[in-house]
Amino acid sequence: MDERRKALLSGLPKIDELMALLEKRGIYEKAPREIVRATCRQVVGELRDAIRGTGSGKTSMRLPVAEQVADQITEIIAGLHRYRLRRVVNATGTILHTNLGRAPLCREALERIQEVGGGYSNLEFDLARGQRGLRYDHIRDILCVLSGAEDALVVNNNAAAVLLILNALAEGKEVIVSRGELIEIGGEFRIPEVMAKSGAHLKEVGTTNRTRINDYENAIGENTGLILKVHTSNFKIMGFTEDTGLASLAALGKRHGVPVMEDLGSGCFLELDHYSLPREPTVSDVMETGVDVVSFSGDKLLGGPQAGIILGKRELLQRIKKNPLNRAVRIDKLTLAALEATMIQYLRPEKAACRLRVLKTLTEPLTEVTKRAKRLLAMLRRSRLKGLVLSLKKGFSMAGGGSLPICEIPTALLAIQPECMSAGALEERLRRLDVPIIARVAEEQVLFDLRTVEEEEFTFIRDGLKRAVST
Ligand SMILES: *Cc1c(COP(=O)(O)O)cnc(C)c1O
C-alpha cells in the first residue's frame, strides 16, 4: 500500500472521538448507544473501503473531518425515524394500482381499525356464551346475506385463499383447468405453480382459445378432486373463442360428485353496468350458478382491505376451515375490522358507490372529473407557478389490479409542460416530495389524471409543484 493511502487511513476519525462528538449533540435522544456505535463503524468502514479502493493514480481523495462524519451519522439516525411507508397522491389514473396500495379504505373502516385495534376485542370470544369463539363468525353473516352463500371464510389474500382451497379439497388429486385459464396474475402467482405448491395435480383440458364442456367431462376420472375455473383477470382472448359457462360446469360437477370452484379475482358486489361500465357478474350472480366454492380479493373491486374471501357450500367450507394451512394464512383483527365496515356499506349499494373510493372513482361521470380538473387548473393558475405551461386534455383511466382489463374509462388530464427541465425530471422531483405525487409522462408532458385525484389532495399538488420548480 502506498504512503498516501496509509496516511489517509490513519487520519480516519476514531469511533470514540465520533461517539463523544455525537453525545454532545444529544444523539442519545434519538437512538441507543449500540445503534450509534454500529452506525459510526459502518460509516468509518465505508470511508476505509473507499480509501483502499481508489486506484493507485487517484490518491487525491480528501478525508472528511470528524465533524462532517458526525453530520453524516446524525442524518442517518434521523432518517431511521422517518416513515418509509407513506401516503402518496395517485395521479396515474390507475384506480387499483397494485404498487400504490390498491384500494383506499373508507372512513368507517379506518374508524373501526382504530377502535378495535387500539384496545381489546371479542376477536375470538363468543360474548353470548362467554367462551371461545371463531374470528370468522364476525364477518360470516354479512358475507352470506350479501352473496347468497351458505358459508364464508376470510384469509390473508386471494392468493392464499386459492392455495388453501386447492390443498384442502384436492391434495394428491387432479384439478381440471382449461388451457385458456392457466394464467399469471403478476408477482409469483401463476396457476400451475400455485397448484404444484398445494399438492394438487394440474389436469389441463381444451385449448388456449376454446374449451368445451365435453373437454371437462372427458377428463373426469377416479382421482378428480376439483374442477377449477379462473377469471382471466388481466387479459382477454378475442376472436374464435369459446369457454364453458360456470353454470354448466357446476351442473357437470354435481352429476359426477366433483366440487367446482371459481377463482373470481376481483369479486364485485355492485352492478357496474348501471354506471356505463362493462358488466362483471356480481358475486351473487356467481353464487346463483350453483358453484361450490368461490374466492376473490378484498382490495380489488370490493374496495376494502387486503384479504381473500372464500364463499361456498357449508360442508366444503368446514373442510377448508379445519385445514392446518388456514392457521398459517389467517386474517388479522385489523383487516377483519376494516372488512366488516366495508361490507356493511354494501347494504346500501348506491351509497357504497360514493363511500368506497374505488367504486366512486370508477363510476364518477366524466363531467365531474372534468370540473375537478378545471378547479385544479384554476387553483394552480392563481398560485402563479413559474416555468410551467398548464393545459387540460382528454384521456383514459384504467381500473388496474387485473380488473376490467380492456376497459378504457374516459377522464380529464392536467398536462404540465416544464420550461426549464425535461418532463422526466419534473416527474422525478414530484416523486421525491414529502408527499410524493405519482404521475405519468407522455410527449414531454407530465400528466395528472384527475379521476384518481381528490379535491382534498389539491394542496399537496400545489405545494409540491411549487417546491419541485423552485429547487
Ligand atoms: C388478483 C388475483 C389473484 C390474487 O389475489 P391477491 O388478493 O392479490 O392475493 C388471484 N387470482 C386472480 C384471478 C386474481 O385476479
Side-chain angles (χ1 to χ4, degrees):
M1 189 180 304
D2 59 54
E3 289 307 312
R4 168 78 184 143
R5 265 189 259 182
K6 271 188 197 153
L8 282 172
L9 283 175
S10 65
L12 278 173
K14 302 281 171 292
I15 302 295
D16 288 340
E17 176 192 5
L18 288 170
M19 296 282 286
L21 257 177
L22 289 161
E23 182 165 12
K24 263 193 229 141
R25 295 185 183 186
I27 196 80
Y28 297 130
E29 301 280 312
K30 297 267 176 177
R33 185 170 280 276
E34 309 82 75
I35 291 179
V36 176
R37 186 183 294 279
T39 311
C40 292
R41 288 218 175 98
Q42 179 204 324
V43 170
V44 172
E46 281 164 10
L47 284 169
R48 191 177 299 122
D49 292 346
I51 295 169
R52 291 206 177 116
T54 46
S56 50
K58 287 170 103 192
T59 45
S60 58
M61 178 176 167
R62 292 251 314 276
L63 215 51
V65 299
E67 286 285 349
Q68 288 168 316
V69 179
D71 287 347
Q72 197 186 337
I73 292 161
T74 309
E75 180 48 36
I76 290 173
I77 286 174
L80 295 175
H81 286 265
R82 280 196 286 272
Y83 292 122
R84 306 291 168 100
L85 181 60
R86 284 180 288 160
R87 73 177 293 169
V88 307
V89 175
N90 174 11
T92 64
T94 301
I95 298 167
L96 290 165
H97 200 304
T98 300
N99 304 143
L100 302 183
R102 281 203 195 151
L105 297 179
C106 63
R107 202 193 65 235
E108 290 80 359
L110 297 174
E111 285 169 3
R112 296 294 299 145
I113 287 177
Q114 192 154 29
E115 190 176 324
V116 172
Y120 295 102
S121 65
N122 63 334
L123 181 65
E124 291 190 346
F125 188 64
D126 184 330
L127 293 170
R129 297 206 202 131
Q131 60 191 33
R132 179 160 193 242
L134 284 177
R135 62 181 63 212
Y136 318 109
D137 287 353
H138 303 293
I139 193 85
R140 192 191 53 214
D141 290 352
I142 185 108
L143 281 171
C144 291
V145 164
L146 289 168
S147 66
E150 280 180 14
D151 201 356
L153 168 67
V154 183
V155 296
N156 181 60
N157 60 7
N158 189 32
V162 175
L163 178 70
L164 171 63
I165 299 167
L166 290 174
N167 181 262
L169 304 184
E171 188 178 19
K173 297 191 182 162
E174 283 177 352
V175 177
I176 304 173
V177 190
S178 159
R179 290 199 169 87
E181 297 172 4
L182 294 174
I183 57 163
E184 171 177 323
I185 287 305
E188 274 58 64
F189 190 88
R190 304 171 115 195
I191 291 292
E193 287 163 23
V194 173
M195 187 84 70
K197 282 284 174 207
S198 76
H201 306 300
L202 175 61
K203 174 94 180 165
E204 302 175 19
V205 295
T207 61
T208 308
N209 53 331
R210 308 193 96 188
T211 304
R212 302 186 187 85
I213 190 81
N214 286 346
D215 296 322
Y216 287 97
E217 185 148 28
N218 294 339
I220 295 178
E222 283 286 280
N223 200 30
T224 305
L226 188 72
I227 296 172
L228 170 64
K229 195 163 173 58
V230 185
H231 195 290
T232 53
S233 305
N234 48 7
F235 69 99
K236 266 245 154 19
I237 299 182
M238 294 199 276
F240 186 62
T241 65
E242 180 172 337
D243 95 343
T244 306
L246 191 59
S248 8
L249 276 186
L252 177 72
K254 201 153 286 146
R255 279 205 303 282
H256 292 269
V258 175
V260 176
M261 161 190 183
E262 179 163 28
D263 171 6
L264 252 187
S266 232
C268 182
F269 282 84
L270 200 70
E271 311 272 354
L272 290 181
D273 49 335
H274 294 182
Y275 301 88
S276 45
L277 288 162
R279 177 159 184 85
E280 267 290 298
T282 64
V283 175
S284 336
D285 295 340
V286 174
M287 297 317 299
E288 264 176 33
T289 61
V291 65
D292 298 288
V293 184
V294 303
S295 76
F296 53 93
S297 295
D299 56 346
K300 289 188 181 171
L301 286 179
L302 187 73
Q306 177 190 304
I309 296 164
I310 303 173
L311 303 175
K313 301 276 159 65
R314 190 167 296 119
E315 184 265 324
L316 296 175
L317 271 270
Q318 285 309 320
R319 276 164 65 192
I320 297 168
K321 284 181 196 179
K322 291 207 183 96
N323 185 283
L325 255 187
N326 182 28
R327 178 63 175 75
V329 297
R330 82 174 176 189
I331 188 162
D332 83 305
K333 63 183 175 183
L334 303 185
T335 311
L336 208 47
L339 187 61
E340 189 184 19
T342 306
M343 294 319 301
I344 287 174
Q345 303 304 312
Y346 281 102
L347 292 172
R348 288 168 301 170
E350 348 56 66
K351 285 218 164 141
C354 323
R355 290 242 172 102
L356 301 175
R357 182 153 163 191
V358 165
L359 296 180
K360 175 186 166 279
T361 308
L362 198 60
T363 60
E364 189 174 42
L366 177 61
T367 48
E368 292 303 313
V369 181
T370 307
K371 278 189 208 158
R372 198 157 59 245
K374 286 181 177 161
R375 286 196 294 272
L376 178 61
L377 179 66
M379 178 192 205
L380 296 178
R381 291 235 159 102
R382 276 198 306 278
S383 59
R384 299 183 189 291
L385 293 160
K386 292 211 179 60
L388 297 177
V389 182
L390 306 173
S391 59
L392 294 185
K393 279 179 127 174
K394 289 183 179 148
F396 294 100
S397 312
M398 300 221 309
S403 311
L404 315 175
I406 51 168
C407 171
E408 292 187 314
I409 308 160
T411 193
L413 306 169
L414 178 80
I416 306 174
Q417 197 158 3
E419 288 174 327
C420 303
M421 65 182 105
S422 70
L426 179 61
E427 182 273 337
E428 182 182 346
R429 286 182 180 198
L430 293 170
R431 187 156 36 84
R432 290 170 174 271
L433 292 165
D434 286 341
V435 179
I437 302 165
I438 315 298
R440 287 188 252 160
V441 172
E443 295 164 8
E444 266 312 297
Q445 291 181 320
V446 176
L447 302 175
F448 291 168
D449 186 326
L450 268 291
R451 187 171 284 281
T452 51
V453 174
E454 295 211 325
E455 200 104 20
E456 286 77 34
E457 295 169 315
F458 281 9
T459 49
F460 292 127
I461 293 186
R462 182 196 58 202
D463 299 348
L465 275 172
K466 242 184 220 166
R467 176 164 295 229
V469 292
S470 72
T471 47

